[in-house]
Amino acid sequence: MAGAVTHDPPPAAGGRQGGPLIVTEDTELLDDLLRLCAAAGATPEVHHGVPDRRGSWESAPLVLVGDDAARRVRGAARRRGVVLVGRDQDDSGVWRRAVEIGAEHVLMLPDGEQWLVDRIADVAEGVGRPALTVGVIGGRGGAGASTLACALAVTSAREGLRTLLVDADPLGGGLDVLLGGETADGLRWPAFASSRGRVGGGALEESLPELHSLRVLSWDRGDRIAVPPQAVRAVLAAARRRGGTVVVDLPRRIDDGVAEALTQLDVGVLVVPAELRAVAAAGRVASAVGMVLRDLRVAVRGPYPPGLDDREVARLLGLPLVGEVPVEPELLRPDEGTAPPGAAPRGPLARFCKEFWERALVEAGAA
């Protein structure tokens, strides 16, 4: 149970703010609160009463006062973000004690655990502008969607944005392989298959492989080829709360997990080779994706046959045109090393991606 006593909690500013302050001598309650802080990815400060250190009570982003400690903090300075936490659902006096200490909320465990985890995660991570989230999907097999997704992510990271690249295609071979990091330490999708509710954004980011200054959530080489849509929802929501950009490489089939990913996107980019069969196939993909995603655009790959160019492809599909995806000469030469798509800052693919981000960030009001 969680109940409001006065006003809503203050909005958190962007950026990481630190963990909450816990005030209690109840060892069982403390164990529960520490467990919930760990689930939210936060490290709390613990005291038996109002901290002696000046400013600790005032500056903590959230204060969790055990019902046993209400009398000991009665004389503390009034502040926002105080939660009185107890266990006795039948104790009517808890509301009086909450008013006495200026608590904004009364919360009873275990019923209010999920609410509290969400609140702790909010103040620990900071809740600012969500990440601009872009999905890339091929109009047909081999269209180059994974290459473009990697290039967009590499370019975003090079521009100094916090960037997460998500591989939503379990049959695609793994984006970590495309980035040259298949042996990099970190978690892959199967580790999140049982995720429910809230996933800490900071904990998610720190658990993933870091390649080329960005974080990558890819598939391993095991047998699992799907995760439940609830897990997709929890993981992508956590990624979006961290801000910056999220790039999702999508498969062409639309199952429940992919549909959940589509609901998290701000923009979708459909990559279509300039071929009539590819345009026909892309039309079917666009119809399926468009049932969930409103902002779907097309990026066209040449070369072009007579009578067909990027504008004509966009017209045939009835979609806004992002532009022509250029050829990256280095990617056509396997002997040139393991540099990922878009790694050459002055290469044509990197320039295309940089222009895409400049436009998309302005449209999103994030620039």
Side-chain angles (χ1 to χ4, degrees):
M1 179 185 74
V5 175
T6 55
H7 45 71
D8 291 333
R16 193 168 186 85
Q17 299 185 25
L21 171 66
I22 297 176
V23 182
T24 185
E25 285 185 327
D26 184 332
T27 56
E28 291 186 6
L29 180 61
L30 178 59
D31 286 344
D32 282 338
L33 293 177
L34 291 175
R35 171 176 56 83
L36 297 178
C37 285
T43 302
E45 181 179 343
V46 180
H47 291 270
H48 296 317
V50 178
D52 295 332
R53 180 163 57 87
R54 183 174 178 81
S56 183
W57 171 271
E58 293 83 1
S59 63
L62 181 67
V63 178
L64 307 178
V65 179
D67 193 31
D68 66 290
R71 292 182 180 178
R72 295 194 295 278
V73 304
R74 191 180 297 168
R78 294 300 175 100
R79 53 152 292 164
R80 302 182 71 184
V82 176
V83 180
L84 183 62
V85 186
R87 292 177 177 280
D88 188 353
Q89 303 276 358
D90 299 323
D91 181 8
S92 59
V94 70
W95 297 97
R96 174 180 51 80
R97 293 190 291 276
V99 172
E100 289 175 350
I101 67 173
E104 291 179 329
H105 293 274
V106 172
L107 182 139
M108 292 296 171
L109 299 180
D111 291 358
E113 285 193 356
Q114 188 58 57
W115 181 91
L116 188 55
V117 169
D118 289 349
R119 183 73 191 282
I120 295 170
D122 282 344
V123 299
E125 297 174 23
V127 180
R129 184 186 297 276
L132 176 58
T133 306
V134 176
V136 185
I137 187 169
R140 67 154 169 80
S146 296
T147 297
L148 179 58
C150 285
L152 285 170
V154 167
T155 303
S156 171
R158 186 168 51 240
E159 293 298 308
L161 297 171
R162 173 184 278 122
T163 305
L164 173 62
L165 176 61
V166 179
D167 185 354
D169 185 0
L171 302 181
L175 292 186
D176 53 352
V177 177
L178 188 55
L179 292 171
E182 60 269 25
T183 62
D185 292 335
L187 300 182
R188 269 64 172 180
W189 263 119
F192 299 97
S194 61
S195 297
R196 299 290 187 277
R198 176 83 173 231
V199 173
L204 171 68
E205 183 177 12
E206 293 168 5
S207 71
L208 299 177
E210 183 175 9
L211 303 169
H212 308 284
S213 300
L214 59 97
R215 297 285 180 167
V216 182
L217 176 53
S218 188
W219 291 86
D220 62 9
R221 263 41 77 183
D223 296 332
R224 180 180 285 275
I225 59 171
V227 296
Q230 302 95 317
V232 175
R233 181 186 310 123
V235 168
L236 289 183
R240 285 173 57 82
R241 286 195 303 271
R242 296 292 286 166
T245 67
V246 176
V247 181
V248 185
D249 182 29
L250 295 160
R252 294 173 61 236
R253 73 183 193 287
I254 310 297
D255 57 19
D256 290 343
V258 174
E260 182 58 49
L262 289 171
T263 66
Q264 302 269 1
L265 301 182
D266 298 304
V267 181
V269 178
L270 181 65
V271 183
V272 184
E275 307 163 359
L276 289 178
R277 280 192 67 193
V279 173
R284 297 176 66 86
V285 176
S287 295
V289 171
M291 295 177 66
V292 182
L293 178 63
R294 291 186 177 182
D295 191 350
L296 181 63
R297 311 176 190 184
V298 61
V300 184
R301 283 184 50 225
Y304 299 99
L308 195 63
D309 60 15
D310 54 355
R311 290 182 175 83
E312 179 63 10
V313 171
R315 187 192 69 80
L316 291 171
L317 291 171
L319 297 174
L321 177 64
V322 171
E324 178 184 349
V325 182
V327 174
E328 188 78 68
E330 286 77 7
L331 298 179
L332 303 177
R333 297 195 294 268
D335 58 333
E336 290 295 320
T338 59
R346 297 183 180 180
L349 188 55
R351 293 198 302 270
F352 173 88
C353 293
K354 183 177 180 180
E355 292 172 2
F356 172 87
W357 285 123
E358 289 173 349
R359 293 194 304 269
L361 289 168
V362 168
E363 291 171 1

